[in-house]
């Protein structure tokens, strides 16, 4: 896989993000909701100096923001007809998908880093547990990256951005609530289903524990949905 071609696709996608109003609307919505929840929970609440109190709200906001950020990644190429140009060029489907995924991850990183302003505010009221803070943010970033991969796959399924966004939200909601859906099972079956919960895998990170099985879960999930996206593009290439 040519790194140069992948980075070229990534650069193009980042330009598209910040030349369109969609990214700015998503960013504004993201920080508006986070600021509201933070104000309610911390400034007007118990004022506990614990960054984990806002992470649940942050993950919920990402559940709604990610489909907006990813719905155009591939769907826009289909809508404008530029997918034919891409698919007939020397650039491979793998380079296209990885380039678009990398752009999405950069945007996700900006959202995650931007949210550090809230722990910074908390720190003025008392010391934060630094290992827990940074491990929790690592978990959030891995979760967000996996969500980008799911959204990218959804975007490859349709030329209609809105439909792609709905599919992405449905898939993410399934992975979000899978442990709840499996609550009707018993014993080992319930435990097995719970292993596939995306937010559930952040539990150890929020305790300051680096569990390699959780890291592996997110990496496998990312690679799975990237592979599915590549297969969708390959089918279109050979039609």
């Amino acid at each position: 896989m040519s790194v140069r071609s992948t980075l070229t696709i990534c650069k193009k996608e980042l330009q598209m993000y910040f030349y369109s109003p969609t990214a700015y609307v998503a960013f504004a919505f993201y920080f508006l909701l986070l600021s509201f929840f933070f104000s309610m929970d911390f400034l007007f609440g118990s004022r506990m100096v614990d960054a984990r109190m806002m992470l649940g709200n942050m993950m919920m906001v990402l559940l709604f923001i990610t489909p907006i950020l990813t719905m155009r990644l591939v769907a826009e190429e289909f809508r404008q007809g530029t997918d034919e140009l891409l698919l007939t060029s020397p650039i491979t489907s793998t380079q296209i998908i990885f380039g678009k995924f990398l752009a999405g991850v950069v945007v996700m990183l900006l959202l995650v880093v931007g949210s550090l302003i809230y722990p910074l505010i908390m720190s003025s009221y008392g010391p934060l547990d630094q290992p827990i803070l940074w491990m929790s943010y690592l978990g959030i970033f891995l979760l967000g990256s996996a969500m980008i991969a799911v959204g990218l796959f959804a975007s490859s399924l349709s030329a209609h951005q809105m439909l792609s966004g709905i599919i992405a939200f449905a898939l993410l909601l399934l992975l979000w609530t899978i442990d709840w859906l499996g609550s009707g099972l018993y014993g080992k079956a319930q435990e097995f289903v719970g292993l596939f919960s995306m937010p559930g895998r952040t539990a150890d990170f929020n305790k300051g524990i680096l569990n390699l099985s959780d890291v592996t879960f997110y990496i496998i999930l990312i690679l799975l949905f990237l592979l599915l996206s590549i297969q969708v593009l390959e089918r279109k290439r050979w039609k």
Side-chain angles (χ1 to χ4, degrees), residues 43-199:
L43 297 181
F44 301 135
S46 62
R47 291 197 177 185
M48 291 179 58
V49 185
D50 187 348
R52 291 174 295 180
M53 62 184 293
M54 59 163 285
L55 292 177
N57 292 331
M58 187 174 170
M59 289 190 293
M60 284 301 299
V61 174
L62 287 178
L63 176 62
F64 292 93
I65 291 296
T66 303
I68 299 175
L69 292 174
T70 58
M71 64 184 185
R72 53 154 294 278
L73 281 174
V74 182
E76 184 71 5
E77 305 280 5
F78 295 153
R79 188 184 68 82
Q80 294 183 347
T82 52
D83 59 306
E84 294 185 8
L85 180 62
L86 273 179
L87 295 176
T88 54
S89 69
I91 302 176
T92 66
S93 298
T94 301
Q95 292 164 351
I96 294 171
I97 291 300
F98 271 83
K100 289 177 179 291
F101 171 70
L102 184 58
V105 169
V106 170
V107 173
M108 179 61 65
L109 182 61
L110 291 176
L111 291 175
V112 172
V113 170
S115 69
L116 284 170
I117 188 173
Y118 304 108
L120 181 62
I121 294 172
M122 288 182 188
S123 66
S124 64
Y125 292 90
L128 288 166
D129 189 315
Q130 294 296 320
I132 288 180
L133 173 66
W134 296 115
M135 201 60 67
S136 297
Y137 266 85
L138 174 60
I140 287 287
F141 176 68
L142 289 171
L143 171 69
S145 298
M147 294 171 74
I148 291 291
V150 174
L152 177 58
F153 168 66
S155 182
S156 71
L157 298 177
S158 173
H160 302 284
Q161 292 187 34
M162 188 60 67
L163 180 57
S164 296
I166 293 172
I167 294 172
F169 181 74
L171 288 173
L172 289 172
L173 190 61
L174 175 63
L175 291 168
W176 210 266
T177 60
I178 194 168
D179 55 341
W180 176 77
L181 294 174
S183 61
L185 302 175
Y186 298 95
K188 295 293 184 181
Q190 184 177 359
E191 292 179 14
F192 178 76
V193 171
L195 293 175
F196 298 94
S197 170
M198 288 183 72

